[in-house]
Amino acid sequence: MAFRGAVVWGVRGAAVTLTLAGLGHTLWNGVVEPGTALAFGALIACGELARRDSRDAWGAPDAAGDRRPAPLAFAGALAYALLGPDAAEPTHHGVLQIVTVVAAAALAGIVPHIARGRAPGADHLARRVLTVAFAAVCFQPLYNSGRLEHGIGQGPYLVLFLLLLLGLTALCDAVLAAAQARARTGWPYGPLLRDELRAQLGIGSAICATGVVMALGVAVAGLWALPVFCVPLLLTQLSFHRITAIRTTYRQTITSLARATEIAGYTRPGHSRRVAALSCAVGRELGLSERELTVLEYAALMHDIGQLSLVDPVRAGATAGLPASEARRIAALGGDVARQTGVPAEVAVIVERQADPYREQPTLARIVRAVNAYDDLLGGTRHPGGPLAALEQLRLGTGRDYQPEVVECLARVLARGGRDRVVPVPPG
């Protein structure tokens, strides 16, 4: 825990120190090329104004988060960091002024979000400052000293150099983002870094490409190139928000379907949501990808939906204590119901196979089975000893029913924060 806190405050402290140094340098020496600084500052501020928050199906901040909530602001900041000439006239702004402009413009752009109570976290701003500073440190000294022009020139080699630099910048951003997520959640660093790198191939590549095009466009046509080259990224951002909204609506629909068993009295209130949240935490611990976690969440939400087909409800909805044949029958009914709802086929397969012996199950079904059994045991009267007694019961069943690795991952997740910290909503 102390190490995780040190990572968070180390990143924030580095960003604050760099920003204060840039502000002091800029105030002492004045703003170089104020028109250019104002134009890029306005672009970054407008990009922050256009940001969107990412919320999950229950209204809480999404675990993964929207990794690029302000793509236009990030692209503008990168373009300023990689800016050489302005309409063929050399520029002389340095790294510290770039940091000052980016930080000041970002803070100005988030003021309306602060007023609405939806301001971005300090970690996001700290990462923005450090990533842009990294790009500026790699480019500006070479450009201002003239070594870049003498060594590479203004032809295709310059474009290749900028693309290589953007690749390193994207790697820097992914490393910082994964470290912050690791410190915030305690999830394994490797899968988090892998997900961040994959995200760079999506909207991240569009941001980097737009940043390069803006810098090269301003070098030839001047600041009038900025609004022209903003349009493609704005359209991309709009499409990205539409896709995010569709996914959110889809998740909310599945959550509503899962609650049908609670409303009908077949399962305890909040059971499906607790199982979904804890299953995703175990999946993170096992190193699953973002797509696998999405499938796991949907399957965990719908894992009890087969009980709607029963004439006589299971007592308290707890399927963990049922005979194996009856549990498999209910799971098969759930798979049939899931297929009729139009969820992806792999979700229905997990629901259908959640009651099989673990050696015959796919990994996601093993997670759902173990977590469902844990919540059933903890919510019933069979184990008044609480979580430790419930975990011990799962360990006793690792010979046939539960995969040992899944049970131990569940134990580690619970040891880090307990069930109440994993679940984003109250049981009601």
Side-chain angles (χ1 to χ4, degrees):
M1 186 66 68
F3 175 76
R4 287 158 55 181
V7 170
V8 172
W9 289 108
V11 172
R12 293 179 181 178
V16 170
T17 301
L18 192 58
T19 301
L20 292 177
L23 180 61
H25 176 271
T26 304
L27 290 175
W28 181 263
N29 296 285
V31 179
V32 180
E33 289 111 19
T36 303
L38 180 62
F40 278 96
L43 175 62
I44 295 169
C46 290
E48 290 291 344
L49 285 172
R51 74 164 42 247
R52 297 283 185 91
D53 262 349
S54 179
R55 299 274 161 175
D56 65 13
W58 302 296
D62 199 347
D66 187 350
R67 290 183 174 84
R68 297 292 178 269
L72 184 59
F74 195 23
L78 284 178
Y80 192 44
L82 302 177
L83 180 65
D86 179 359
E89 294 294 328
T91 59
H92 304 90
H93 61 280
V95 175
L96 292 178
Q97 178 172 311
I98 291 171
V99 170
T100 302
V101 170
V102 169
L107 289 173
I110 66 174
V111 168
H113 299 290
I114 295 175
R116 294 186 304 165
R118 306 294 286 275
D123 290 342
H124 167 77
L125 294 177
R127 193 173 87 240
R128 170 78 59 79
V129 169
L130 294 180
T131 301
V132 172
F134 174 83
V137 166
C138 293
F139 179 83
Q140 290 298 327
L142 292 176
Y143 170 76
N144 291 325
S145 65
R147 285 178 291 177
L148 184 64
E149 183 174 359
H150 291 304
I152 297 178
Q154 298 294 328
Y157 292 111
L158 176 61
V159 177
L160 292 176
F161 171 76
L162 291 176
L163 292 177
L164 175 62
L165 179 54
L166 281 177
L168 294 175
T169 303
L171 178 60
C172 172
D173 184 61
V175 168
L176 287 174
Q180 290 174 332
R182 172 75 174 89
R184 185 174 64 253
T185 64
W187 295 335
Y189 181 79
L192 290 171
L193 179 59
R194 179 189 62 199
D195 290 336
E196 292 294 336
L197 291 174
R198 286 179 176 173
Q200 297 290 346
L201 299 177
I203 188 67
S205 61
I207 292 172
C208 291
T210 304
V212 169
V213 170
M214 282 182 180
L216 295 176
V218 171
V220 175
L223 296 176
W224 291 107
L226 286 179
V228 175
F229 291 114
C230 284
V231 174
L233 188 58
L234 284 173
L235 296 177
T236 302
Q237 181 177 356
L238 180 61
S239 300
F240 188 76
H241 289 327
R242 285 179 176 270
I243 293 173
T244 302
I246 291 172
R247 289 178 177 175
T248 301
T249 303
Y250 188 65
R251 182 183 296 177
Q252 291 172 341
T253 301
I254 292 179
T255 304
S256 299
L257 288 172
R259 291 199 62 195
T261 58
E262 303 171 18
I263 296 172
Y266 283 80
T267 58
R268 292 176 292 113
H271 171 70
S272 62
R273 289 173 287 170
R274 289 193 299 272
V275 172
L278 194 49
S279 294
C280 288
V282 173
R284 286 279 186 186
E285 188 74 17
L286 286 170
L288 300 183
S289 66
E290 287 290 342
R291 186 182 185 282
E292 289 173 321
L293 288 171
T294 300
V295 173
L296 176 61
E297 181 187 15
Y298 292 168
L301 285 169
M302 304 186 73
H303 76 279
D304 270 333
I305 202 167
Q307 296 196 40
L308 294 175
S309 302
L310 300 179
V311 177
D312 297 320
V314 178
R315 183 180 179 183
T319 57
L322 293 176
S325 59
E326 180 64 12
R328 284 196 292 269
R329 185 178 76 86
I330 296 175
L333 292 172
D336 292 338
V337 174
R339 287 186 178 88
Q340 295 176 21
T341 63
V343 297
E346 50 209 322
V347 174
V349 169
I350 295 167
V351 173
E352 188 175 51
R353 300 188 61 185
Q354 62 178 302
D356 293 348
Y358 81 82
R359 291 181 178 85
E360 303 173 10
Q361 292 176 312
T363 300
L364 303 188
R366 297 173 181 178
I367 297 173
V368 173
R369 176 167 188 172
V371 174
N372 174 57
Y374 171 79
D375 195 73
D376 282 347
L377 293 171
L378 196 62
T381 59
R382 297 172 57 189
H383 289 285
L388 290 179
L391 279 173
E392 185 62 28
Q393 182 67 21
L394 293 185
R395 289 190 174 104
L396 293 175
T398 52
R400 180 180 185 276
D401 297 327
Y402 312 112
Q403 186 182 22
E405 291 83 358
V406 172
V407 175
E408 293 311 311
C409 281
L410 173 60
R412 289 196 296 270
V413 168
L414 294 169
R416 278 202 303 267
R419 186 181 71 170
D420 293 336
R421 287 188 61 185
V422 173
V423 182
V425 292

